[in-house]
Amino acid sequence: MWTSGRMSNAKNLLGLGVSLYFWGLMDLTTTVLSGSARPLTEGQEDNLSDKLHQRMKRSWVWNQFFVLEEYTGTDPLYVGKLHSDMDRGDGSIKYILSGEGAGIVFTIDDTTGDIHAIQRLDREERSQYTLRAQALDRRTGRPMEPESEFIIKIQDINDNEPKFLDGPYVASVPEMSPVGTSVIQVTATDADDPTYGNSARVVYSILQGQPYFSVDSRTGLIRTALMNMDREAKEYYEVIIQAKDMGGQLGGLAGTTTVNITLSDVNDNPPRFPQKHYQMSVLESAPVSSTVGRVVAKDLDEGINAEMKYSLVDGDGLDVFDINTDPNYQVGIITVRKPLSFESKKSYTLKVEGANPHLEMRFLNLGPFRDTTTVHISVEDVDEPPVFEPSFYFVEVPEDVEIGTTIQIISAKDPDVTNNSIRYSIDRSSDPGRFFYVDITSGALMTARPLDREDISWHNITVLAMELNNPSQVGSVSVTVKVLDVNDNAPEFARFYEAFVCENAKAGQLIQTVSAIDKDDPQEGQHFYYSLAPEAANNPNFTLRDNQDNTAWILTRRSGFRQHEQNTFYLPILISDNGRPVLSSTGTLTVHVCSCDDDGMVMSCNAETYVLPVSLSRGALIAILACIFVLLVLVLLILSMRRQRKQPYIIDEEENIHENIVRYDDEGGGEQDTEAFDIAAMWNPREAQLVVKNRQDMLPEIESLSRYVPQACVMDNNVHNYVLAKLYEADMDLWAPPFDSLQTYMFEGNGSVAESLSSLQSVTTDSDQSYDYLTDWGPRFKKLAEMYGATDSSGALW
């Protein structure tokens, strides 16, 4: 059997599509060349006949079929021809084709054996097909030849352009890079057969991006082609690269890609302040660390190369202001470092420097990478609260100081130029016990209640100072008051002492050790002296020995104590301290006589009890109970009478004088004035000790408080001292009625133009008074002069 492959186009003439199949003995009856057969000679036929008789089996010897891809004709593409030597041309042989693409891509003429391609072939999709051929007897269907396999290879043509599979590309290169610096390598892929011709040989070139960049034609490596490319001038570049096959020759296919190249920043630009002078202002009340203003130095670089560090390098405010760098916005923030004072200094000048902390050595010649600017700061005046001088007070005061005594002068002033008047007060939350009082104008700090070191030894109060014209401006100062100790507490036993003495005790035997305590705290320390009280100085039973270490021993003076004679002794002991003045107290030691064994162990301290009769009559029991009942009734009666006598005065609704309103027909006082209140006590303090009147709205036993006022306080001309003492006595009197009383004082204070305006002296005379002098007191008394009919010289009302 033989096969012939023939192409219908010109390339078949070159033998590209011809395949020859030989018998295993290489003896062919017919030679096939380009589809035509030549008969054998007679000698050849005889030789072949001899060999055919010797052949046992026929077999295929294969070559390959070749066919070009991308056939665009309308007729099926002729691939080749299959022919068997048993085919006599009478159509008795039937050719069949099977395998890859049989009947779909390739068909065979079952009579002639011609193979055609009925679909467009693409080598890039499939480069070869494996098929099987067989010759059958058309009549019987019996195989005339064994089935054999052959290959049809698709011949490549240049039908695919190069493609950049990873494009478009993004790359970066530092600005100012030297010429030839590598940027990125691009790669194009051609789907054509690289082993056949130049269809897959790719050459690279640059279409856009010159003169800044270049590309290696063989490798596709992109490099910088221009020196000193400045990012600040142009940052982004779009480079177009072409890849062309066929070695770049005419007629080759080409593909392109885009490479976006960014110039990355380097520190090649020094910072510069856009302003050489800044003007700022700040309130003098600005707290420490508050912001005054911002300065910024411009840097054309970015990122770490544009980082800035600001500092103060000169000026008269280096110790008053500070500057910090904002890392997010690279600005310099000027802040207050110390408190400001408009009255002390009204303006400051600072020299600010901005510098790059990250430098590149190869660009130092472009520097210096720092710049300076001048900042003028004006301090604006504000209304400040009063300032105390000093800013802290420490006062020591003895605990026996009298009420109303000035212990310290608190001083504050308005720091502003206006220097407003100051009013003082105490923050009551710091003095809940109201032990102190401060004069509203002078700032004199006085005691308002008795001080007791043993109760409160330290007082921490806050004094406030307020501007008279602007009450919202309030300053404060801490005043620490240490209460000094005075010897005002007598020593006393540390506990209750109870001793036991045996009946068989010897003289001089120790029965008890006593000690004492004292609430006072003298600077030289505590030292107590013990002795028997004067009434027990010659006690025949016991004696005392002072150990000079704040303890004392109680010793027996005799022996032979008898429990049935006296089972309890009370020994008074005098305890004195070492204070000035010396204070003493008497403590009692109770001594029980007890029965003891030979070793001195107490057995019993109770005397033999008197045994009462066991049985009592019914009448005796009733008499005892009756006496107890009578005693209980008497006790309840006494308590009821005492409570009634101590009960505060209660006013009925009809006699309610909770608000005592007295009407006057004239400006004089009269009996109602003098009887309703103890006017004399406030009129003349000296006479308050002699004449005491009772108020009508309280029980007769509640006397005027004036009698309890200390003489030193009464004689003092300071009204504050007197009022504070009266207030304290009223607070301490538990039986005083809780009524609000309005009292009139004759004492008007010092400095009044009109002197005293009290009408209390009007009771001394019945003559008419002239009020013409009211016209001399000025406009403030104009209304009063009109009320009392004062006239000017013309007779008209003023």
Side-chain angles (χ1 to χ4, degrees), residues 275-295:
Q275 299 176 229
K276 287 302 180 181
H277 298 278
Y278 287 85
Q279 184 66 41
M280 300 179 184
S281 62
V282 60
L283 298 177
E284 64 172 334
S285 60
V288 175
S289 299
S290 61
T291 300
V292 178
R294 291 173 170 82
V295 296

Side-chain angles (χ1 to χ4, degrees), residues 39-50 52:
L40 297 175
T41 63
E42 181 179 355
Q44 290 176 338
E45 288 181 356
D46 293 337
N47 189 19
L48 178 60
S49 177
D50 295 336
L52 289 177

Side-chain angles (χ1 to χ4, degrees), residues 682-716:
M682 304 305 296
W683 186 357
N684 189 353
R686 294 183 178 85
E687 296 179 0
Q689 302 295 326
L690 302 177
V691 181
V692 178
K693 292 185 178 182
N694 296 334
R695 288 177 53 173
Q696 294 180 352
D697 59 347
M698 63 177 66
L699 296 178
E701 66 182 35
I702 306 302
E703 298 181 354
S704 174
L705 297 175
S706 300
R707 63 183 298 180
Y708 300 108
V709 178
Q711 185 66 25
C713 183
V714 174
M715 297 300 293
D716 193 356

